[in-house]
């Protein structure tokens, strides 16, 4: 089974990557607010990194059209 972690970085992405590698996590999802969203472009050999945006329920439909991965606040 592939291990995955969803994290909410605040300019500490490198810390999350280093920690994930140490824990054997194979995939990280960085979640950002829509105003802070920037897709993670750097390749990592040991883990897969994806980027998601977190939006309110009322903004979910529009966000799904703009971003590859969307999380909706409850």
């Amino acid at each position: 089974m592939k291990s995955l972690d969803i994290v909410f970085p605040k300019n500490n992405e490198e810390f999350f990557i280093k920690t994930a590698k140490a824990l054997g996590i194979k995939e990280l999802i960085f979640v950002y607010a829509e105003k802070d969203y920037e897709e993670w472009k750097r390749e990592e050999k040991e883990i897969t990194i994806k980027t998601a945006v977190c939006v309110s329920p009322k903004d979910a439909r529009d966000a799904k059209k703009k971003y590859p991965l969307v999380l909706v606040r409850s």
Side-chain angles (χ1 to χ4, degrees):
M1 185 165 119
K2 187 174 172 181
S3 58
L4 157 82
D5 201 3
I6 299 170
V7 296
F8 297 82
K10 294 184 179 169
N11 295 322
N12 59 346
E13 290 86 353
E14 294 300 328
F15 170 78
F16 282 116
I17 292 169
K18 182 179 176 183
T19 303
K21 287 178 181 179
L23 295 174
I25 293 170
K26 298 297 180 195
E27 185 172 348
L28 275 179
I29 299 176
F30 291 149
V31 182
Y32 299 99
E34 196 166 11
K35 65 181 174 78
D36 300 324
Y37 180 87
E38 187 174 321
E39 191 167 348
W40 187 261
K41 301 268 190 216
R42 200 177 91 210
E43 294 280 327
E44 285 292 327
K45 292 181 181 178
E46 298 173 44
I47 61 175
T48 301
I49 299 176
K50 296 181 181 176
T51 311
V53 65
C54 187
V55 298
S56 67
K58 69 179 182 79
D59 296 327
R61 184 166 290 166
D62 289 336
K64 286 172 60 176
K65 296 174 187 174
K66 292 171 34 178
Y67 302 103
L69 188 56
V70 177
L71 275 70
V72 180
R73 291 188 295 273
S74 61

